Amino acid sequence: MAIHAYISVPSDPFSSKLLGLSSSSSYYSIQPSRICSPVQITPKFEQTHLNALRRSQCFTLKASMGSPEFTKQLINSKPETFAEIKDKSDIFDDLKDRFLSFKNNIYMKNTERFEYLAKTQAPKFMVIACADSRVCPSTILGFQPGDAFMIRNVANLVPRFENGPTETNAALEFAVNSLLVENILVVGHSCCGGIRALMSMQDDGTTGFIKSWVVNGKNAKVKTKAAASNLDFDSQCKHCEKESINHSLVNLLSYPWIKEKVENEELSIHGGYYDFIDCSFEKWTLDYRRTKLEENGKIATKNKIFWS
């Protein structure tokens, strides 16, 4: 039996109310609008499978940092995805069907909107999220085309300005200085393999692309080890997932043109944490006036809200 869901966009597509960023609200909603099309979602797992998934929690992510043989065993035993259940040769046929569904049900019914987007963009949000396949900001937070300029990297990290150019700070420069976004949102998540790699990293002289990248979060690791040394490794990783978000917010202020706009209240920076085990979302905003950067990056926050 199919379940029908509806995707809608506020009449003001650039309204910052899209995420309900208000301390007076414990949830967010998307208001009715001209764009509202049915999407069919067919359940693929019975409740027993979902319960088993919740019990296992981060088990799959742990494999990424385990031995190659352990990872191979886990991959061989994983449940089939929707694409694997079908003939593997049909995977792009499925993408074709989804693209044509988007074209017919959304694009063709809102041609004026997409004609506008073909000429320009004026997003209110810059979103920095993890590259994890389970953490898509558009799916989780309902962003529609034109709403948010996004970059996704391993562990949703923001390197410091003085560390030199990366694709992340190139995107920041364009979003802040050219698109004039009003909000930067850094979204972390539960069971993050990148954070697990950071917490497992040893100073043994070895190098690699992942190690060279996640070292950008080393201060978050240091703070986690100091604050949560009495916890087990999994709990330390969860602590660091949130600590690294705040560390990235502090790093954002190392960019002179970001700091200037924050000081002038032209730009706000926010942290968000998505827990996909219980499907909850936490959001907070950096309180620039009370944040003491000279005190080892001590951060103050405001407007904390929790959606569940």
Side-chain angles (χ1 to χ4, degrees), residues 79-109:
E80 288 187 328
T81 65
F82 75 95
E84 293 169 329
I85 292 172
K86 300 174 62 179
D87 188 319
K88 290 179 174 59
S89 65
D90 291 339
I91 186 168
F92 280 96
D93 289 338
D94 182 78
L95 293 183
K96 172 188 173 183
D97 291 342
R98 283 188 274 174
F99 169 74
L100 293 178
S101 177
F102 160 77
K103 179 176 181 179
N104 294 328
N105 296 320
I106 299 178
Y107 184 93
M108 297 304 296
K109 294 179 180 180

PDB file of all heavy atoms in Angstrom, residues 79-109:
ATOM      1  N   PRO A  79      21.506  -5.594   4.304  1.00  0.00           N
ATOM      2  CA  PRO A  79      20.238  -5.804   3.611  1.00  0.00           C
ATOM      3  C   PRO A  79      20.262  -5.160   2.244  1.00  0.00           C
ATOM      4  O   PRO A  79      20.962  -4.179   2.009  1.00  0.00           O
ATOM      5  CB  PRO A  79      19.217  -5.110   4.530  1.00  0.00           C
ATOM      6  CG  PRO A  79      20.016  -4.100   5.272  1.00  0.00           C
ATOM      7  CD  PRO A  79      21.369  -4.729   5.466  1.00  0.00           C
ATOM      8  N   GLU A  80      19.494  -5.707   1.311  1.00  0.00           N
ATOM      9  CA  GLU A  80      19.446  -5.165  -0.035  1.00  0.00           C
ATOM     10  C   GLU A  80      18.752  -3.816  -0.049  1.00  0.00           C
ATOM     11  O   GLU A  80      17.784  -3.596   0.661  1.00  0.00           O
ATOM     12  CB  GLU A  80      18.709  -6.131  -0.967  1.00  0.00           C
ATOM     13  CG  GLU A  80      19.497  -7.399  -1.284  1.00  0.00           C
ATOM     14  CD  GLU A  80      18.795  -8.229  -2.334  1.00  0.00           C
ATOM     15  OE1 GLU A  80      17.553  -8.200  -2.353  1.00  0.00           O
ATOM     16  OE2 GLU A  80      19.478  -8.880  -3.131  1.00  0.00           O
ATOM     17  N   THR A  81      19.260  -2.902  -0.861  1.00  0.00           N
ATOM     18  CA  THR A  81      18.607  -1.618  -1.048  1.00  0.00           C
ATOM     19  C   THR A  81      17.571  -1.749  -2.148  1.00  0.00           C
ATOM     20  O   THR A  81      17.469  -2.792  -2.808  1.00  0.00           O
ATOM     21  CB  THR A  81      19.635  -0.539  -1.440  1.00  0.00           C
ATOM     22  OG1 THR A  81      20.171  -0.866  -2.723  1.00  0.00           O
ATOM     23  CG2 THR A  81      20.760  -0.458  -0.412  1.00  0.00           C
ATOM     24  N   PHE A  82      16.801  -0.663  -2.359  1.00  0.00           N
ATOM     25  CA  PHE A  82      15.767  -0.710  -3.384  1.00  0.00           C
ATOM     26  C   PHE A  82      16.362  -1.006  -4.749  1.00  0.00           C
ATOM     27  O   PHE A  82      15.746  -1.675  -5.575  1.00  0.00           O
ATOM     28  CB  PHE A  82      14.999   0.611  -3.418  1.00  0.00           C
ATOM     29  CG  PHE A  82      15.747   1.746  -4.051  1.00  0.00           C
ATOM     30  CD1 PHE A  82      15.553   2.052  -5.385  1.00  0.00           C
ATOM     31  CD2 PHE A  82      16.654   2.504  -3.323  1.00  0.00           C
ATOM     32  CE1 PHE A  82      16.246   3.097  -5.974  1.00  0.00           C
ATOM     33  CE2 PHE A  82      17.344   3.544  -3.910  1.00  0.00           C
ATOM     34  CZ  PHE A  82      17.148   3.843  -5.239  1.00  0.00           C
ATOM     35  N   ALA A  83      17.594  -0.519  -5.009  1.00  0.00           N
ATOM     36  CA  ALA A  83      18.202  -0.746  -6.317  1.00  0.00           C
ATOM     37  C   ALA A  83      18.680  -2.174  -6.471  1.00  0.00           C
ATOM     38  O   ALA A  83      18.605  -2.761  -7.545  1.00  0.00           O
ATOM     39  CB  ALA A  83      19.364   0.224  -6.519  1.00  0.00           C
ATOM     40  N   GLU A  84      19.169  -2.788  -5.367  1.00  0.00           N
ATOM     41  CA  GLU A  84      19.683  -4.143  -5.425  1.00  0.00           C
ATOM     42  C   GLU A  84      18.568  -5.173  -5.540  1.00  0.00           C
ATOM     43  O   GLU A  84      18.770  -6.257  -6.074  1.00  0.00           O
ATOM     44  CB  GLU A  84      20.539  -4.422  -4.185  1.00  0.00           C
ATOM     45  CG  GLU A  84      21.811  -3.599  -4.155  1.00  0.00           C
ATOM     46  CD  GLU A  84      22.518  -3.659  -2.820  1.00  0.00           C
ATOM     47  OE1 GLU A  84      21.830  -3.808  -1.799  1.00  0.00           O
ATOM     48  OE2 GLU A  84      23.753  -3.540  -2.811  1.00  0.00           O
ATOM     49  N   ILE A  85      17.397  -4.825  -5.016  1.00  0.00           N
ATOM     50  CA  ILE A  85      16.273  -5.740  -5.118  1.00  0.00           C
ATOM     51  C   ILE A  85      15.864  -5.902  -6.579  1.00  0.00           C
ATOM     52  O   ILE A  85      15.464  -6.957  -7.023  1.00  0.00           O
ATOM     53  CB  ILE A  85      15.095  -5.225  -4.277  1.00  0.00           C
ATOM     54  CG1 ILE A  85      15.460  -5.314  -2.792  1.00  0.00           C
ATOM     55  CG2 ILE A  85      13.821  -6.013  -4.550  1.00  0.00           C
ATOM     56  CD1 ILE A  85      14.465  -4.675  -1.864  1.00  0.00           C
ATOM     57  N   LYS A  86      15.987  -4.809  -7.345  1.00  0.00           N
ATOM     58  CA  LYS A  86      15.677  -4.863  -8.764  1.00  0.00           C
ATOM     59  C   LYS A  86      16.865  -5.434  -9.529  1.00  0.00           C
ATOM     60  O   LYS A  86      17.939  -5.659  -8.982  1.00  0.00           O
ATOM     61  CB  LYS A  86      15.378  -3.447  -9.273  1.00  0.00           C
ATOM     62  CG  LYS A  86      14.206  -2.774  -8.600  1.00  0.00           C
ATOM     63  CD  LYS A  86      14.078  -1.337  -9.051  1.00  0.00           C
ATOM     64  CE  LYS A  86      13.817  -1.242 -10.534  1.00  0.00           C
ATOM     65  NZ  LYS A  86      13.656   0.149 -10.987  1.00  0.00           N
ATOM     66  N   ASP A  87      16.665  -5.675 -10.784  1.00  0.00           N
ATOM     67  CA  ASP A  87      17.765  -6.054 -11.655  1.00  0.00           C
ATOM     68  C   ASP A  87      18.789  -4.929 -11.644  1.00  0.00           C
ATOM     69  O   ASP A  87      18.466  -3.777 -11.867  1.00  0.00           O
ATOM     70  CB  ASP A  87      17.242  -6.267 -13.086  1.00  0.00           C
ATOM     71  CG  ASP A  87      18.306  -6.854 -14.007  1.00  0.00           C
ATOM     72  OD1 ASP A  87      19.469  -6.431 -13.913  1.00  0.00           O
ATOM     73  OD2 ASP A  87      17.966  -7.731 -14.816  1.00  0.00           O
ATOM     74  N   LYS A  88      20.057  -5.273 -11.360  1.00  0.00           N
ATOM     75  CA  LYS A  88      21.076  -4.241 -11.218  1.00  0.00           C
ATOM     76  C   LYS A  88      21.253  -3.420 -12.489  1.00  0.00           C
ATOM     77  O   LYS A  88      21.708  -2.284 -12.450  1.00  0.00           O
ATOM     78  CB  LYS A  88      22.396  -4.872 -10.785  1.00  0.00           C
ATOM     79  CG  LYS A  88      22.373  -5.400  -9.351  1.00  0.00           C
ATOM     80  CD  LYS A  88      23.697  -6.032  -8.970  1.00  0.00           C
ATOM     81  CE  LYS A  88      23.715  -6.425  -7.505  1.00  0.00           C
ATOM     82  NZ  LYS A  88      22.660  -7.362  -7.133  1.00  0.00           N
ATOM     83  N   SER A  89      20.897  -3.966 -13.632  1.00  0.00           N
ATOM     84  CA  SER A  89      21.025  -3.221 -14.879  1.00  0.00           C
ATOM     85  C   SER A  89      19.976  -2.134 -15.008  1.00  0.00           C
ATOM     86  O   SER A  89      20.056  -1.287 -15.881  1.00  0.00           O
ATOM     87  CB  SER A  89      20.930  -4.179 -16.077  1.00  0.00           C
ATOM     88  OG  SER A  89      19.632  -4.763 -16.142  1.00  0.00           O
ATOM     89  N   ASP A  90      18.969  -2.159 -14.114  1.00  0.00           N
ATOM     90  CA  ASP A  90      17.880  -1.193 -14.203  1.00  0.00           C
ATOM     91  C   ASP A  90      18.117   0.059 -13.362  1.00  0.00           C
ATOM     92  O   ASP A  90      17.242   0.913 -13.295  1.00  0.00           O
ATOM     93  CB  ASP A  90      16.563  -1.840 -13.730  1.00  0.00           C
ATOM     94  CG  ASP A  90      16.092  -2.902 -14.697  1.00  0.00           C
ATOM     95  OD1 ASP A  90      16.532  -2.855 -15.855  1.00  0.00           O
ATOM     96  OD2 ASP A  90      15.283  -3.754 -14.297  1.00  0.00           O
ATOM     97  N   ILE A  91      19.283   0.190 -12.734  1.00  0.00           N
ATOM     98  CA  ILE A  91      19.464   1.267 -11.767  1.00  0.00           C
ATOM     99  C   ILE A  91      19.320   2.643 -12.423  1.00  0.00           C
ATOM    100  O   ILE A  91      18.722   3.549 -11.842  1.00  0.00           O
ATOM    101  CB  ILE A  91      20.824   1.138 -11.046  1.00  0.00           C
ATOM    102  CG1 ILE A  91      20.924   2.179  -9.930  1.00  0.00           C
ATOM    103  CG2 ILE A  91      21.995   1.262 -12.016  1.00  0.00           C
ATOM    104  CD1 ILE A  91      22.092   1.939  -9.001  1.00  0.00           C
ATOM    105  N   PHE A  92      19.812   2.807 -13.649  1.00  0.00           N
ATOM    106  CA  PHE A  92      19.666   4.107 -14.304  1.00  0.00           C
ATOM    107  C   PHE A  92      18.286   4.282 -14.908  1.00  0.00           C
ATOM    108  O   PHE A  92      17.841   5.409 -15.114  1.00  0.00           O
ATOM    109  CB  PHE A  92      20.765   4.313 -15.347  1.00  0.00           C
ATOM    110  CG  PHE A  92      22.069   4.753 -14.734  1.00  0.00           C
ATOM    111  CD1 PHE A  92      23.057   3.827 -14.448  1.00  0.00           C
ATOM    112  CD2 PHE A  92      22.292   6.084 -14.416  1.00  0.00           C
ATOM    113  CE1 PHE A  92      24.243   4.222 -13.854  1.00  0.00           C
ATOM    114  CE2 PHE A  92      23.478   6.490 -13.830  1.00  0.00           C
ATOM    115  CZ  PHE A  92      24.461   5.558 -13.540  1.00  0.00           C
ATOM    116  N   ASP A  93      17.601   3.173 -15.163  1.00  0.00           N
ATOM    117  CA  ASP A  93      16.197   3.292 -15.560  1.00  0.00           C
ATOM    118  C   ASP A  93      15.391   3.890 -14.419  1.00  0.00           C
ATOM    119  O   ASP A  93      14.481   4.696 -14.633  1.00  0.00           O
ATOM    120  CB  ASP A  93      15.627   1.922 -15.947  1.00  0.00           C
ATOM    121  CG  ASP A  93      16.185   1.418 -17.265  1.00  0.00           C
ATOM    122  OD1 ASP A  93      16.657   2.268 -18.051  1.00  0.00           O
ATOM    123  OD2 ASP A  93      16.153   0.206 -17.500  1.00  0.00           O
ATOM    124  N   ASP A  94      15.735   3.512 -13.194  1.00  0.00           N
ATOM    125  CA  ASP A  94      15.046   4.054 -12.029  1.00  0.00           C
ATOM    126  C   ASP A  94      15.322   5.555 -11.899  1.00  0.00           C
ATOM    127  O   ASP A  94      14.418   6.342 -11.615  1.00  0.00           O
ATOM    128  CB  ASP A  94      15.500   3.313 -10.771  1.00  0.00           C
ATOM    129  CG  ASP A  94      14.785   3.801  -9.527  1.00  0.00           C
ATOM    130  OD1 ASP A  94      13.630   3.410  -9.339  1.00  0.00           O
ATOM    131  OD2 ASP A  94      15.389   4.591  -8.768  1.00  0.00           O
ATOM    132  N   LEU A  95      16.586   5.963 -12.109  1.00  0.00           N
ATOM    133  CA  LEU A  95      16.918   7.390 -12.059  1.00  0.00           C
ATOM    134  C   LEU A  95      16.184   8.149 -13.161  1.00  0.00           C
ATOM    135  O   LEU A  95      15.727   9.282 -12.951  1.00  0.00           O
ATOM    136  CB  LEU A  95      18.427   7.585 -12.201  1.00  0.00           C
ATOM    137  CG  LEU A  95      19.302   7.068 -11.058  1.00  0.00           C
ATOM    138  CD1 LEU A  95      20.770   7.413 -11.332  1.00  0.00           C
ATOM    139  CD2 LEU A  95      18.870   7.639  -9.717  1.00  0.00           C
ATOM    140  N   LYS A  96      16.084   7.536 -14.333  1.00  0.00           N
ATOM    141  CA  LYS A  96      15.348   8.163 -15.434  1.00  0.00           C
ATOM    142  C   LYS A  96      13.901   8.402 -15.038  1.00  0.00           C
ATOM    143  O   LYS A  96      13.345   9.492 -15.267  1.00  0.00           O
ATOM    144  CB  LYS A  96      15.414   7.284 -16.678  1.00  0.00           C
ATOM    145  CG  LYS A  96      14.528   7.758 -17.817  1.00  0.00           C
ATOM    146  CD  LYS A  96      14.490   6.734 -18.948  1.00  0.00           C
ATOM    147  CE  LYS A  96      13.468   7.123 -20.005  1.00  0.00           C
ATOM    148  NZ  LYS A  96      13.381   6.093 -21.080  1.00  0.00           N
ATOM    149  N   ASP A  97      13.273   7.390 -14.425  1.00  0.00           N
ATOM    150  CA  ASP A  97      11.875   7.530 -14.013  1.00  0.00           C
ATOM    151  C   ASP A  97      11.714   8.653 -12.998  1.00  0.00           C
ATOM    152  O   ASP A  97      10.746   9.425 -13.048  1.00  0.00           O
ATOM    153  CB  ASP A  97      11.366   6.210 -13.422  1.00  0.00           C
ATOM    154  CG  ASP A  97      11.236   5.121 -14.470  1.00  0.00           C
ATOM    155  OD1 ASP A  97      11.200   5.453 -15.676  1.00  0.00           O
ATOM    156  OD2 ASP A  97      11.183   3.933 -14.085  1.00  0.00           O
ATOM    157  N   ARG A  98      12.662   8.749 -12.061  1.00  0.00           N
ATOM    158  CA  ARG A  98      12.564   9.791 -11.038  1.00  0.00           C
ATOM    159  C   ARG A  98      12.786  11.183 -11.638  1.00  0.00           C
ATOM    160  O   ARG A  98      12.135  12.143 -11.232  1.00  0.00           O
ATOM    161  CB  ARG A  98      13.562   9.518  -9.914  1.00  0.00           C
ATOM    162  CG  ARG A  98      13.095   8.407  -8.973  1.00  0.00           C
ATOM    163  CD  ARG A  98      13.990   8.296  -7.763  1.00  0.00           C
ATOM    164  NE  ARG A  98      15.130   7.441  -8.039  1.00  0.00           N
ATOM    165  CZ  ARG A  98      16.142   7.257  -7.184  1.00  0.00           C
ATOM    166  NH1 ARG A  98      16.140   7.911  -6.040  1.00  0.00           N
ATOM    167  NH2 ARG A  98      17.138   6.460  -7.476  1.00  0.00           N
ATOM    168  N   PHE A  99      13.706  11.277 -12.596  1.00  0.00           N
ATOM    169  CA  PHE A  99      13.921  12.569 -13.248  1.00  0.00           C
ATOM    170  C   PHE A  99      12.674  13.010 -14.019  1.00  0.00           C
ATOM    171  O   PHE A  99      12.240  14.159 -13.927  1.00  0.00           O
ATOM    172  CB  PHE A  99      15.113  12.497 -14.199  1.00  0.00           C
ATOM    173  CG  PHE A  99      15.216  13.719 -15.082  1.00  0.00           C
ATOM    174  CD1 PHE A  99      15.652  14.925 -14.555  1.00  0.00           C
ATOM    175  CD2 PHE A  99      14.847  13.670 -16.417  1.00  0.00           C
ATOM    176  CE1 PHE A  99      15.728  16.062 -15.350  1.00  0.00           C
ATOM    177  CE2 PHE A  99      14.916  14.793 -17.222  1.00  0.00           C
ATOM    178  CZ  PHE A  99      15.361  15.992 -16.689  1.00  0.00           C
ATOM    179  N   LEU A 100      12.090  12.087 -14.784  1.00  0.00           N
ATOM    180  CA  LEU A 100      10.902  12.434 -15.563  1.00  0.00           C
ATOM    181  C   LEU A 100       9.723  12.760 -14.664  1.00  0.00           C
ATOM    182  O   LEU A 100       8.887  13.609 -14.997  1.00  0.00           O
ATOM    183  CB  LEU A 100      10.556  11.291 -16.518  1.00  0.00           C
ATOM    184  CG  LEU A 100      11.579  11.056 -17.645  1.00  0.00           C
ATOM    185  CD1 LEU A 100      11.170   9.863 -18.496  1.00  0.00           C
ATOM    186  CD2 LEU A 100      11.740  12.311 -18.502  1.00  0.00           C
ATOM    187  N   SER A 101       9.650  12.108 -13.496  1.00  0.00           N
ATOM    188  CA  SER A 101       8.604  12.433 -12.532  1.00  0.00           C
ATOM    189  C   SER A 101       8.783  13.858 -12.025  1.00  0.00           C
ATOM    190  O   SER A 101       7.814  14.616 -11.900  1.00  0.00           O
ATOM    191  CB  SER A 101       8.631  11.447 -11.367  1.00  0.00           C
ATOM    192  OG  SER A 101       7.673  11.797 -10.389  1.00  0.00           O
ATOM    193  N   PHE A 102      10.035  14.226 -11.713  1.00  0.00           N
ATOM    194  CA  PHE A 102      10.326  15.597 -11.296  1.00  0.00           C
ATOM    195  C   PHE A 102       9.950  16.586 -12.399  1.00  0.00           C
ATOM    196  O   PHE A 102       9.307  17.610 -12.148  1.00  0.00           O
ATOM    197  CB  PHE A 102      11.814  15.732 -10.951  1.00  0.00           C
ATOM    198  CG  PHE A 102      12.320  17.147 -10.977  1.00  0.00           C
ATOM    199  CD1 PHE A 102      12.039  18.020  -9.942  1.00  0.00           C
ATOM    200  CD2 PHE A 102      13.079  17.614 -12.056  1.00  0.00           C
ATOM    201  CE1 PHE A 102      12.491  19.333  -9.963  1.00  0.00           C
ATOM    202  CE2 PHE A 102      13.531  18.921 -12.091  1.00  0.00           C
ATOM    203  CZ  PHE A 102      13.241  19.782 -11.040  1.00  0.00           C
ATOM    204  N   LYS A 103      10.333  16.274 -13.623  1.00  0.00           N
ATOM    205  CA  LYS A 103      10.060  17.192 -14.736  1.00  0.00           C
ATOM    206  C   LYS A 103       8.559  17.391 -14.926  1.00  0.00           C
ATOM    207  O   LYS A 103       8.082  18.532 -15.062  1.00  0.00           O
ATOM    208  CB  LYS A 103      10.685  16.657 -16.028  1.00  0.00           C
ATOM    209  CG  LYS A 103      10.431  17.555 -17.240  1.00  0.00           C
ATOM    210  CD  LYS A 103      11.148  17.039 -18.476  1.00  0.00           C
ATOM    211  CE  LYS A 103      10.896  17.966 -19.662  1.00  0.00           C
ATOM    212  NZ  LYS A 103      11.607  17.503 -20.886  1.00  0.00           N
ATOM    213  N   ASN A 104       7.810  16.290 -14.927  1.00  0.00           N
ATOM    214  CA  ASN A 104       6.380  16.370 -15.218  1.00  0.00           C
ATOM    215  C   ASN A 104       5.567  16.930 -14.058  1.00  0.00           C
ATOM    216  O   ASN A 104       4.609  17.688 -14.272  1.00  0.00           O
ATOM    217  CB  ASN A 104       5.856  14.990 -15.613  1.00  0.00           C
ATOM    218  CG  ASN A 104       6.454  14.496 -16.925  1.00  0.00           C
ATOM    219  OD1 ASN A 104       6.749  15.292 -17.807  1.00  0.00           O
ATOM    220  ND2 ASN A 104       6.650  13.193 -17.039  1.00  0.00           N
ATOM    221  N   ASN A 105       5.930  16.562 -12.838  1.00  0.00           N
ATOM    222  CA  ASN A 105       5.107  16.917 -11.681  1.00  0.00           C
ATOM    223  C   ASN A 105       5.524  18.205 -10.975  1.00  0.00           C
ATOM    224  O   ASN A 105       4.718  18.792 -10.250  1.00  0.00           O
ATOM    225  CB  ASN A 105       5.120  15.770 -10.664  1.00  0.00           C
ATOM    226  CG  ASN A 105       4.489  14.512 -11.215  1.00  0.00           C
ATOM    227  OD1 ASN A 105       3.475  14.577 -11.907  1.00  0.00           O
ATOM    228  ND2 ASN A 105       5.086  13.361 -10.925  1.00  0.00           N
ATOM    229  N   ILE A 106       6.755  18.640 -11.185  1.00  0.00           N
ATOM    230  CA  ILE A 106       7.236  19.834 -10.498  1.00  0.00           C
ATOM    231  C   ILE A 106       7.697  20.894 -11.501  1.00  0.00           C
ATOM    232  O   ILE A 106       7.184  22.008 -11.516  1.00  0.00           O
ATOM    233  CB  ILE A 106       8.373  19.487  -9.510  1.00  0.00           C
ATOM    234  CG1 ILE A 106       7.855  18.519  -8.432  1.00  0.00           C
ATOM    235  CG2 ILE A 106       8.940  20.742  -8.867  1.00  0.00           C
ATOM    236  CD1 ILE A 106       8.902  18.068  -7.443  1.00  0.00           C
ATOM    237  N   TYR A 107       8.658  20.538 -12.342  1.00  0.00           N
ATOM    238  CA  TYR A 107       9.224  21.527 -13.262  1.00  0.00           C
ATOM    239  C   TYR A 107       8.164  22.095 -14.204  1.00  0.00           C
ATOM    240  O   TYR A 107       8.018  23.324 -14.317  1.00  0.00           O
ATOM    241  CB  TYR A 107      10.359  20.889 -14.060  1.00  0.00           C
ATOM    242  CG  TYR A 107      11.072  21.853 -14.985  1.00  0.00           C
ATOM    243  CD1 TYR A 107      12.211  22.536 -14.564  1.00  0.00           C
ATOM    244  CD2 TYR A 107      10.611  22.073 -16.286  1.00  0.00           C
ATOM    245  CE1 TYR A 107      12.870  23.422 -15.398  1.00  0.00           C
ATOM    246  CE2 TYR A 107      11.260  22.954 -17.129  1.00  0.00           C
ATOM    247  CZ  TYR A 107      12.387  23.626 -16.691  1.00  0.00           C
ATOM    248  OH  TYR A 107      13.023  24.505 -17.524  1.00  0.00           O
ATOM    249  N   MET A 108       7.420  21.239 -14.882  1.00  0.00           N
ATOM    250  CA  MET A 108       6.460  21.705 -15.881  1.00  0.00           C
ATOM    251  C   MET A 108       5.291  22.455 -15.249  1.00  0.00           C
ATOM    252  O   MET A 108       4.637  23.263 -15.914  1.00  0.00           O
ATOM    253  CB  MET A 108       5.947  20.519 -16.700  1.00  0.00           C
ATOM    254  CG  MET A 108       7.025  19.819 -17.514  1.00  0.00           C
ATOM    255  SD  MET A 108       7.927  20.938 -18.632  1.00  0.00           S
ATOM    256  CE  MET A 108       6.601  21.427 -19.743  1.00  0.00           C
ATOM    257  N   LYS A 109       5.023  22.221 -13.994  1.00  0.00           N
ATOM    258  CA  LYS A 109       3.920  22.908 -13.316  1.00  0.00           C
ATOM    259  C   LYS A 109       4.370  24.224 -12.683  1.00  0.00           C
ATOM    260  O   LYS A 109       3.545  24.958 -12.150  1.00  0.00           O
ATOM    261  CB  LYS A 109       3.312  21.993 -12.251  1.00  0.00           C
ATOM    262  CG  LYS A 109       2.635  20.756 -12.850  1.00  0.00           C
ATOM    263  CD  LYS A 109       2.063  19.860 -11.767  1.00  0.00           C
ATOM    264  CE  LYS A 109       1.396  18.628 -12.375  1.00  0.00           C
ATOM    265  NZ  LYS A 109       0.839  17.734 -11.320  1.00  0.00           N
TER     266      LYS A 109
END
